[in-house]
Amino acid sequence: IYTSKEINTRNIKIINEYAIEYNDILIGHDLQHRLDFDTLLKYDKNIFDTKIAAYELSPGQKDYDIEDISVRITGNSFNENLFPDIKEKLDEQIKTRGLDRAYYEVDLPCVKVLRDMEDTGALVDVDVLEKLSITFEKELEKYTEKIYQLAGTEFNINSPKQLSSILFDKLGLSTGRKTETGFSTDQEVLTELSAVHDLPRQIIEYRELSKLKSTYVDPLLYMARHGDGRIHTTYHLDVTATGRLSSSDPNLQNIPIRSTHGARIREAFIAPKGKKLISADYSQIELRILAHLGEDKVMISSFEKGEDIHARTASEIYDVPIELVTLSQRREAKAINFGIMYGKTPFGLARELGIPQSVASKMIKRYFERYSGVAKAREELIRKAKMKGYAETFYGRKRYLPDISSKNMAARNFAERNAINSPMQGTAADILKIAMTRLWERLHREHKDVDIILHVHDELVIETPENIADKVMGIIKFEMENTAELTPALVVDINIGNTWLAAH
């Protein structure tokens, strides 16, 4: 460990204004995007990234500027010679706060992996995207005609003010929430209004299709035409408060997984000739973490039997045999399973399912009676957060919750929901990042012609030569399922195809 007074600047090899080599360690700020892959691979595990370290210490900030960090930590304006001093002080804080596992074992090893994924990119079919753009445009025109017909007049569908006037003044629908510019026309309001009029539902579908076309189809088409035919998204380790990876240009995390339109976009991602795409997706990882955390015997047993967990929950709540659970009951049980993880209240569940709040309260009460371990786990997570001031993942990643004991009920409730959700969502994110790194390192040793090309939530997409696809699938499943020891064990759903859609 060096202090600013002991640093011998002659030992500093300046690589660029954002990175140096010091005592065989690569120290820099945002190394993933400031250096090329070969340089990152050369130093391998001997790196220290000040941006990720600052994020680890204070997740959820808008940005992590090196000048701000330098002034705060050293009292001096930034220059490259200060990197060793900044590293020393950040490293000391990371270890003092117990963040060393999250930083050194989870996030830092991802840097070279993510840079390789960005450089490799994912191949898309330009013809499919061109046809999709035309198809979406025609569908938008049909939605527009239908919306005008239902409204009884033409108006700017993309104008919240004009839409508000149509819905609440002209059609006289329930006005909902008031905003500074008028009554809200957001997704939640439109969903509620869809129960009494068809226009709001058409608006929702129009907005989804319009967003997919403008955010994905057309930009992807432009990138493919003006590049190498591959989409090179940018991954970020330092954006989300929970530790989840995010991506931009384009943000692939927001492509709808289960919608028809989202599926058509995934169909445009293809394998090159002689290769296949493999999709490996953790099965219900957050619910498995919840079951592990609460040592809930009913939920653990269900997972170990390989049951449909949402059908099992419906069976428990409605007291019917699992084979007699209806699709409607399963849908409601699924909402409860995920709602419990996000701290959803009876009011929130009632609104989501369109049922009376009293019914929602009884459903949640029944849920906690059957899953008593889950109920205890939730209480314990909130208790620990109030005692420590933060929520924590299995790997020591922390999300600070200053409002956890606030007198303001809304602020306190929000913090309590994060106290419940962050350990599960954050642990799932940590597990996937560790799995991705271990898988990449093994593939890099044994099969250099196999590439991890996409990371979306709990899913990895791998591009492999067709002749070794079966072997690679076995490696992927082994590495991902053995990343962490949970009860119930991790399970990976793995499929193969010529397109992302077919593989998923």
Side-chain angles (χ1 to χ4, degrees):
I1 296 177
Y2 297 85
T3 65
S4 54
K5 293 180 181 178
E6 297 170 332
I7 291 170
N8 184 342
T9 56
R10 288 176 298 178
N11 290 341
I12 295 176
K13 175 186 174 184
I14 295 177
I15 296 175
N16 62 34
E17 63 178 313
Y18 292 100
I20 66 164
E21 180 193 295
Y22 187 74
N23 287 355
D24 298 322
I25 295 178
L26 178 65
I27 307 173
H29 193 75
D30 196 13
L31 292 170
Q32 178 186 331
H33 302 121
R34 302 292 186 183
L35 296 179
D36 60 274
F37 170 72
D38 289 337
T39 302
L40 292 173
L41 192 61
K42 171 188 170 185
Y43 289 93
D44 195 19
K45 295 178 175 63
N46 297 319
I47 68 172
F48 190 97
D49 194 307
T50 55
K51 187 177 186 183
I52 300 173
Y55 160 75
E56 218 78 63
L57 292 163
S58 184
Q61 280 186 203
K62 187 176 181 181
D63 57 52
Y64 301 90
D65 181 71
I66 185 59
E67 180 65 29
D68 293 340
I69 294 169
S70 180
V71 170
R72 176 168 52 83
I73 292 225
T74 70
N76 298 310
S77 295
F78 172 73
N79 67 69
E80 296 89 342
N81 291 335
L82 283 171
F83 263 134
D85 200 16
I86 295 171
K87 171 196 176 295
E88 175 200 342
K89 289 179 168 60
L90 287 173
D91 181 56
E92 182 181 356
Q93 290 182 37
I94 282 172
K95 289 174 179 174
T96 299
R97 296 195 198 176
L99 291 162
D100 33 328
R101 285 196 75 194
Y103 181 65
Y104 286 105
E105 295 181 26
V106 182
D107 286 348
L108 212 53
C110 285
V111 169
K112 66 178 181 294
V113 179
L114 293 174
R115 181 53 193 260
D116 188 33
M117 290 167 61
E118 290 173 345
D119 289 351
T120 303
L123 185 66
V124 292
D125 189 321
V126 173
D127 290 338
V128 171
L129 288 172
E130 286 177 343
K131 292 175 183 176
L132 201 54
S133 181
I134 294 170
T135 299
F136 278 14
E137 186 62 40
K138 289 180 178 177
E139 289 183 14
L140 284 170
E141 290 173 359
K142 290 180 180 178
Y143 275 117
T144 300
E145 291 177 6
K146 180 69 173 177
I147 288 168
Y148 288 165
Q149 181 183 359
L150 290 168
T153 186
E154 294 187 7
F155 66 101
N156 183 354
I157 300 172
N158 297 312
S159 166
K161 186 176 181 180
Q162 291 188 34
L163 176 59
S164 177
S165 177
I166 293 291
L167 292 174
F168 308 124
D169 297 334
K170 189 172 188 297
L171 298 180
L173 300 181
S174 175
T175 50
R177 296 193 312 277
K178 188 78 180 284
T179 67
E180 293 181 1
T181 56
F183 290 105
S184 174
T185 59
D186 65 12
Q187 178 86 3
E188 188 177 338
V189 170
L190 292 179
T191 300
E192 289 181 6
L193 294 176
S194 295
V196 296
H197 200 284
D198 192 38
L199 178 58
R201 183 179 63 82
Q202 296 292 328
I203 295 291
I204 290 173
E205 294 178 6
Y206 172 91
R207 283 180 177 177
E208 179 192 339
L209 187 60
S210 179
K211 183 178 180 180
L212 289 177
K213 185 176 187 298
S214 63
T215 306
Y216 294 109
V217 177
D218 292 344
L220 289 175
L221 186 54
Y222 179 86
M223 291 176 193
R225 283 173 172 166
H226 293 81
D228 59 358
R230 287 179 172 264
I231 304 303
H232 300 272
T233 190
T234 301
Y235 291 100
H236 304 278
L237 282 159
D238 52 20
V239 171
T240 68
T242 60
R244 273 201 165 194
L245 279 176
S246 64
S247 67
S248 62
D249 305 316
N251 177 5
L252 299 176
Q253 314 290 331
N254 285 346
I255 298 177
I257 295 175
R258 293 175 178 83
S259 79
T260 303
H261 297 313
R264 291 158 81 179
I265 293 174
R266 285 178 174 236
E267 195 170 23
F269 287 79
I270 61 171
K273 187 176 181 180
K275 295 192 175 185
K276 293 283 187 179
L277 295 185
I278 298 170
S279 167
D281 196 351
Y282 276 119
S283 172
Q284 307 292 358
I285 184 170
E286 291 183 18
L287 283 173
R288 289 174 187 271
I289 291 168
L290 177 61
H292 174 90
L293 200 61
E295 298 180 345
D296 192 287
K297 294 180 181 179
V298 177
M299 192 174 284
I300 289 172
S301 173
S302 181
F303 276 125
E304 289 179 340
K305 290 176 182 176
E307 291 178 335
D308 177 336
I309 189 62
H310 303 310
R312 166 51 61 192
T313 298
S315 173
E316 299 291 342
I317 292 174
Y318 296 106
D319 196 23
V320 296
I322 192 169
E323 61 272 13
L324 297 181
V325 168
T326 65
L327 289 176
S328 176
Q329 288 172 332
R330 184 188 182 279
R331 180 182 68 85
E332 292 178 352
K334 182 178 180 180
I336 297 173
N337 272 331
F338 289 114
I340 294 302
M341 286 196 295
Y342 291 91
K344 187 159 285 185
T345 62
F347 175 78
L349 182 64
R351 171 173 285 187
E352 179 179 351
L353 296 178
I355 59 178
Q357 191 171 330
S358 59
V359 175
S361 295
K362 290 178 181 177
M363 292 171 72
I364 291 176
K365 181 182 178 182
R366 175 70 173 168
Y367 182 96
F368 286 135
E369 287 174 351
R370 299 301 297 146
Y371 296 113
S372 58
V374 170
K376 291 177 183 176
R378 279 169 49 101
E379 292 171 4
E380 183 64 9
L381 288 171
I382 293 173
R383 186 191 69 79
K384 284 184 177 180
K386 287 183 176 179
M387 180 179 70
K388 296 179 177 181
Y390 57 79
E392 190 172 16
T393 72
F394 293 1
Y395 298 89
R397 184 183 307 282
K398 295 171 175 58
R399 182 174 184 178
Y400 298 94
L401 303 168
D403 293 325
I404 192 67
S405 298
S406 172
K407 293 180 180 179
N408 182 306
M409 188 172 69
R412 185 178 66 252
N413 288 343
F414 181 72
E416 288 181 354
R417 288 196 296 274
N418 285 328
I420 297 166
N421 172 248
S422 291
M424 285 172 285
Q425 189 176 111
T427 297
D430 289 346
I431 288 172
L432 190 58
K433 283 188 279 191
I434 294 171
M436 178 182 70
T437 301
R438 288 182 181 178
L439 177 61
W440 183 92
E441 289 175 345
R442 181 171 175 186
L443 292 174
H444 194 74
R445 289 193 308 269
E446 300 177 13
H447 300 285
K448 290 185 182 292
D449 50 354
V450 178
D451 294 296
I452 303 175
I453 60 169
L454 292 173
H455 175 297
V456 180
H457 299 310
D458 303 327
E459 176 188 15
L460 295 176
V461 181
I462 294 91
E463 185 180 286
T464 178
E466 188 171 0
N467 62 338
I468 58 170
D470 289 343
K471 185 177 182 180
V472 170
M473 287 177 76
I475 292 172
I476 294 168
K477 193 169 179 66
F478 176 84
E479 292 296 337
M480 291 183 70
E481 290 187 342
N482 288 280
T483 294
E485 292 185 8
L486 298 181
T487 304
L490 292 170
V491 171
V492 172
D493 293 329
I494 189 164
N495 292 288
I496 189 169
N498 292 321
T499 70
W500 186 8
L501 177 63
H504 186 80

